[in-house]
Amino acid sequence: MLRGRDRQRVAVDALLARARAGHGGALVLRGGPGSGKTAMLAAAREAAATAAGDREVLLCVDDAHRLEDTDWLVELAAAAADEPVAVLVATEGEPLGLPWVRLDPLDHADSLRVLRDLRPGLAPGLADDVADLARGNPLALTELARALTSDQLGGTAPAPDALPEDSCLRARFGARFHALSPQARFAVALSVVDDEVDADALARMPGLDLAAVEEAAVLLDGGPLVRSALRTGIPLALRYAAHAALAEHLPPGPRRTWHEAARAPGVRDAFAARLADSASRARRCGDYPAAARDHDRAAALTADPDAKARHLIAAATDHWASGAPRRARVALRTAARLTDSDELRARAELLRGGIDLGNGLPDVAVRRLLHAAGELVGTHRSLAITALGFAGEAASIAGDHARYAETAAFAARLRRPDEPDDTRITLDHLAGMAATFAGRHEQALPVLRSVIELAERVPHPQAKIWGGQAAYTLGDASRAHELATSAVTAAHEHGLTALVPWALVYRALSAMLLDQHSVALSAAFEGVHAATAIGQHNAVVDHLTILALVAALRGDTDTAVHRIDAAAEQIAERGLGRSGTFGAWAFACVDLALDRPADALDRLRLMAAGSGGVHTGIKVMAAPHVVEAAVGCGRPLTADRALRRYEKWAGTTGSAARLALSHRCRGLLADGPRADEHFREAIRLHRASGTAMELAKTELFYGHRLRRDRKPRAARDLLRDAMKIFQRYEADRWVARARAELRAAGEAVGPTRSDRTADRTGPRAANRADVDPTLGLTPQQAQIARLVAEGATNREVAARLFLSHRTVEHHLRNIFARLEVRSRVELTRMLD
């Protein structure tokens, strides 16, 4: 079932259920052409035909906006209220005063599911292009998928950039356009030749009456899909007239320059030069959408093929930076047909690799980027180094450390003694991470420290990302979090939307290292939604697996498995070794939480098998869980081997949080006084690093050891503290384990409800109108409460937060109890 249509289907099912009970009614399905109204009517007819013991009557009315008289329909709907009759109406118009739901466009994920059903095995990049073009319109998806040629499917021809010529949907848009009044057709032409002309702008245009604007607005309500379908169908004379009117009406600036040039055919290179200058100014100001627009328009006005290609590649760069990869790919494909310049082709290859890095196959991205670096090194050294930095990240995403080492070796050959800071940081980053992946931690240490220092001086957000990753690798969680947060801020300020999801990866990971799970969740959720919005689906998967790991570390096994499952298909299809390794680690933590150490050990030993390479850095970070699993299976030698690799890394970096885990592992493996020493040192280091959740786990393991060594009083002190921390993190499974240990240590433990619910600090207890009611909730509960208050169903909340339906229900019960409300209505009133 498509998540984006759950609410509409629930409403239809409810109507049919009422009719079966003898109390019918009506429901209006509203949506534009191709939105799936007819398909939903068909699904309802099938459901009413197959329902067991059916006795209801279902009346379906399609295209009700075509009816001249609708009074009878309204009267019928009223009469059906006390009869076993369901009236289902589909329309592009008004709801006639009846209950209604809107069929909104499908989201990107659901669009991809539709395409996979229509074209099994469709390449991810092509599927993304088609989904972006269709804009969530089900009929557009169907027509585009069916019209794909064998060359497009094989990757030798570009993806479509418009609906097929024989498209039914395109014909419907065209027919509606030609049925408009002349004034309304002119209004539509104005909007089609300039995407920035909306209904408000049309209303301000001289010579257009309000009736014509309103008539045009009905057609233009279909959004970008309508504009793209009409763009080639508007008569040329009308197009020129629209450009001329806008050239006269707009104030001086790049938009006016474009319309002055486009109002008549002829040589227009002078206008192109003016637009290219405007694009450069916009780029310097961080306004990449405006820069892309002006570079695109400069290309359209340029006669020389190489110059046109140069403008298109510049436009593609700006589109990519602003988070519009599909537009970037379209510009690059056009440029490729215009030039055979080695330099321009290398620039285009660099950009294609960057796009593949976010939304393609990372191994393909590595090859593209290394090739681009090789071509550019003689003429544009700084661009070649940029390509190598991206190639290293692509190799890391794939878990291909051999390719990473190859990339770092290439970069090392380019290094100069007087390397400027903005290129030195990339070269040092590649050298330091390559040494880390190879286990040469002493060699990596000074280079990664240099990256951190350079990141403080270089203002570009990419430098902050490199610095955050270096600090995270060295275990300096506070510095990593600070730099990653700066990278997010700088990316927004510089207009580099494409870098935001990448920066958020290290903000989430550093927060996890700090045991700030709520901050990690917030960053990862922001990363999922930011990456989804700009089509960076590799980053979506990264953030999903991080969300899964956060849930698994808290013992929330249902949520962790749900999120791993949501990422698994893309991990396998795209060969995302880094995400696969995170996912395997998270699944192993689930096994440990469910007391399945043997399963956890097998999963950790076979990390990411079949889903790309194994990311060695993440595998080393997971070593404490290897030790925990191996000890649980009675395999101390396996634990010791894993721990030695971890200790080499943690000892070199000096991270208190990671050294604490190292001592905990030694405590698990040792006996007698030696074990006590390690556990106590681990607890000291946990407290020094502020990692409360890991402190609680260490106290639990140590408490278990003390109880087993017949020291119940000492055990109880530790276990009480551990249980309180687990309760604060809402880690219910860990709470249960601590309670069980306390009982075994001879302490009578109270009810299973968390102590936090007994401490009433919520809005009613405070009795103050200015207190935020959600302050007494956990971060995840607060998110759920706000979404529910906004009208989201449990299924919609589950989809947005990547939770199971059952988990949302569980949290909602706790929210009601915590806030002392009895219904969703009361919750909405409280948070309004």
Side-chain angles (χ1 to χ4, degrees):
M1 181 178 288
L2 299 179
R3 295 173 302 184
R5 296 297 169 94
D6 276 352
R7 180 177 292 181
Q8 295 86 349
R9 294 187 181 188
V10 166
V12 172
D13 291 344
L15 175 69
L16 296 177
R18 287 197 302 273
R20 292 188 194 107
H23 302 286
L27 180 68
V28 177
L29 305 175
R30 300 180 68 192
S35 59
K37 301 183 299 298
T38 302
M40 193 160 282
L41 292 180
R45 288 196 300 271
E46 183 179 349
T50 60
D54 62 308
R55 67 185 192 91
E56 81 276 13
V57 174
L58 173 63
L59 173 63
C60 294
V61 182
D62 205 352
D63 288 339
H65 54 280
R66 296 173 181 262
L67 295 173
E68 293 184 6
D69 177 19
T70 56
D71 289 345
W72 65 272
L73 190 54
V74 176
E75 292 171 3
L76 176 63
D82 295 319
E83 301 291 339
V85 176
V87 181
L88 202 55
V89 181
T91 183
E92 294 176 18
E94 295 303 311
L96 309 174
L98 301 173
W100 61 277
V101 291
R102 180 180 294 279
L103 272 64
D104 293 320
L106 304 178
D107 64 20
H108 191 84
D110 287 338
S111 296
L112 293 179
R113 291 187 184 92
V114 170
L115 289 172
R116 282 196 291 270
D117 288 341
L118 293 168
R119 287 284 195 176
L122 192 64
L126 179 57
D128 286 322
D129 284 350
V130 173
D132 288 343
L133 177 59
R135 303 283 181 166
N137 186 291
L139 182 56
L141 287 167
T142 301
E143 292 187 331
L144 286 165
R146 289 175 179 167
L148 290 172
T149 66
S150 56
D151 288 340
Q152 287 170 329
L153 292 169
T156 58
D161 56 9
L163 290 168
E165 289 188 9
D166 62 349
S167 159
C168 172
L169 189 56
R170 183 171 175 172
R172 289 172 67 180
F173 290 145
R176 293 180 64 182
F177 171 75
H178 289 293
L180 297 174
S181 67
Q183 279 272 304
R185 287 201 298 273
F186 183 60
V188 170
L190 289 168
S191 185
V192 166
V193 300
D194 191 326
D195 290 341
E196 295 179 55
V197 176
D198 56 14
D200 290 338
L202 288 174
R204 294 193 298 270
M205 286 293 293
L208 276 181
D209 59 63
L210 186 58
V213 172
E214 291 176 346
E215 190 182 353
V218 174
L219 177 57
L220 293 171
D221 191 48
L225 185 63
V226 173
R227 287 184 171 84
S228 68
L230 294 177
R231 195 156 283 137
T232 57
I234 291 179
L236 195 59
L238 187 58
R239 181 189 302 275
Y240 285 145
H243 282 299
L246 289 167
E248 183 177 342
H249 176 71
L250 290 171
R255 284 178 67 201
R256 180 170 178 169
T257 299
W258 160 246
H259 292 296
E260 286 175 343
R263 62 187 170 184
V267 177
R268 296 168 288 183
D269 290 273
F271 290 106
R274 285 164 57 187
L275 286 169
D277 288 342
S278 297
S280 297
R281 286 194 298 273
R283 186 185 279 184
R284 287 195 296 271
C285 295
D287 189 353
Y288 287 95
R293 178 200 64 200
D294 292 341
H295 275 133
D296 270 328
R297 289 173 173 176
L301 299 174
T302 301
D304 178 69
D306 273 1
K308 184 186 286 284
R310 191 174 295 277
H311 287 313
L312 285 168
I313 292 169
T317 303
D318 296 328
H319 281 307
W320 172 82
S322 64
R326 180 187 168 272
R327 291 188 175 188
R329 281 194 291 265
V330 170
L332 288 174
R333 287 174 187 133
T334 307
R337 297 194 291 268
L338 295 171
T339 182
D340 58 2
S341 161
D342 290 340
E343 181 226 336
L344 291 179
R345 287 184 175 275
R347 283 176 176 265
E349 196 74 348
L350 164 58
L351 192 52
R352 286 192 191 94
I355 294 168
D356 285 341
L357 175 64
N359 190 36
L361 302 177
D363 60 332
V364 172
V366 175
R367 290 197 298 271
R368 286 190 190 282
L369 291 162
L370 288 176
H371 177 260
E375 292 294 313
L376 291 167
V377 70
T379 55
H380 295 279
R381 181 173 174 275
S382 63
L383 278 181
I385 292 173
T386 297
L388 291 173
F390 284 175
E393 179 64 11
S396 179
I397 289 171
D400 188 342
H401 298 301
R403 273 298 176 92
Y404 200 103
E406 177 187 342
T407 303
F410 189 164
R413 294 194 294 272
L414 300 185
R415 186 182 290 273
R416 293 174 179 171
D418 57 345
E419 196 70 53
D421 287 354
D422 58 346
T423 50
R424 181 184 161 197
I425 190 171
T426 302
L427 298 173
D428 282 357
H429 173 78
L430 286 165
M433 295 307 299
T436 297
F437 294 146
R440 301 191 303 271
H441 302 297
E442 293 287 352
Q443 179 183 336
L445 185 62
V447 191
L448 292 178
R449 284 178 176 164
S450 168
V451 172
I452 297 169
E453 292 171 7
L454 290 166
E456 300 286 358
R457 300 201 297 265
V458 179
H460 197 280
Q462 183 61 66
K464 309 296 183 189
I465 293 173
W466 293 147
Q469 186 176 359
Y472 177 75
T473 302
L474 294 180
D476 189 344
S478 296
R479 183 74 70 88
H481 194 259
E482 180 182 307
L483 284 167
T485 301
S486 296
V488 175
T489 303
H492 284 302
E493 289 176 348
H494 285 73
L496 290 166
T497 307
L499 299 182
V500 171
W502 193 356
L504 285 166
V505 166
Y506 291 100
R507 189 168 195 270
L509 289 175
S510 58
M512 268 207 303
L513 186 56
L514 289 166
D515 250 14
Q516 295 177 0
H517 288 194
S518 61
V519 178
L521 284 171
S522 176
F525 277 125
E526 185 182 348
V528 167
H529 297 304
T532 300
I534 63 175
Q536 286 191 7
H537 300 294
N538 292 345
V540 171
V541 176
D542 254 350
H543 283 290
L544 271 178
T545 53
I546 291 169
L547 285 169
L549 184 57
V550 173
L553 290 171
R554 288 173 38 233
D556 187 351
T557 56
D558 286 346
T559 297
V561 171
H562 186 78
R563 289 170 177 167
I564 294 166
D565 288 345
E569 185 175 358
Q570 291 297 304
I571 289 172
E573 280 187 7
R574 297 170 184 258
L576 306 178
R578 182 168 72 190
S579 296
T581 311
F582 268 129
W585 183 9
F587 226 137
C589 291
V590 168
D591 289 328
L592 288 170
L594 296 174
D595 198 23
R596 301 190 305 230
D599 291 342
L601 186 58
D602 286 342
R603 207 177 298 276
L604 289 164
R605 288 172 55 223
L606 302 172
M607 262 186 166
S611 58
V614 176
H615 195 286
T616 58
I618 298 169
K619 188 170 184 177
V620 170
M621 285 191 282
H625 292 103
V626 176
V627 173
E628 187 180 334
V631 168
C633 296
R635 299 178 61 177
L637 292 179
T638 301
D640 187 66
R641 283 196 299 271
L643 182 55
R644 286 183 188 280
R645 290 191 293 272
Y646 183 83
E647 285 176 328
K648 183 181 178 183
W649 175 49
T652 303
T653 65
S655 164
R658 289 170 178 159
L659 288 171
L661 296 177
S662 176
H663 280 287
R664 180 172 83 193
C665 291
R666 283 295 168 201
L668 288 170
L669 286 167
D671 289 311
R674 190 64 178 152
D676 290 337
E677 290 174 14
H678 283 298
F679 276 124
R680 288 170 185 159
E681 180 63 7
I683 288 170
R684 186 189 71 79
L685 289 167
H686 283 310
R687 288 176 175 154
S689 60
T691 49
M693 183 72 170
E694 294 302 332
L695 167 64
K697 290 180 182 178
T698 297
E699 288 176 329
L700 174 63
F701 297 152
Y702 189 22
H704 171 79
R705 175 65 63 89
L706 290 171
R707 179 182 66 77
R708 194 185 67 183
D709 291 345
R710 298 184 180 180
K711 298 176 181 177
R713 181 178 297 177
R716 288 195 294 269
D717 290 340
L718 290 168
L719 293 169
R720 286 190 210 101
D721 188 48
M723 190 170 72
K724 289 176 183 176
I725 295 172
F726 290 142
Q727 287 172 335
R728 194 163 72 240
Y729 277 82
E730 217 183 14
D732 292 342
R733 288 190 184 275
W734 289 102
V735 169
R737 285 180 63 171
R739 286 182 185 280
E741 283 292 336
L742 269 171
R743 290 192 189 98
E747 181 159 313
V749 184
T752 57
R753 177 180 291 272
S754 296
D755 292 344
R756 64 182 181 278
T757 59
D759 177 18
R760 293 293 178 185
T761 57
R764 295 196 178 189
N767 196 27
R768 288 184 54 188
D770 60 343
V771 173
D772 181 355
T774 64
L775 290 178
L777 303 176
T778 67
Q780 187 148 286
Q781 286 176 341
Q783 281 183 304
I784 292 170
R786 290 192 185 99
L787 289 171
V788 168
E790 290 168 8
T793 65
N794 285 7
R795 288 185 182 277
E796 288 167 338
V797 173
R800 182 165 177 80
L801 300 183
F802 300 96
L803 301 169
S804 68
H805 189 266
R806 184 173 63 179
T807 300
V808 173
E809 291 176 343
H810 167 74
H811 281 303
L812 203 52
R813 286 194 297 271
N814 287 341
I815 291 166
F816 283 6
R818 184 69 186 87
L819 299 182
E820 299 182 37
V821 297
R822 293 171 295 178
S823 69
R824 302 168 83 94
V825 173
E826 287 188 23
L827 177 63
T828 302
R829 287 174 183 160
M830 177 177 285
L831 301 185
D832 189 7

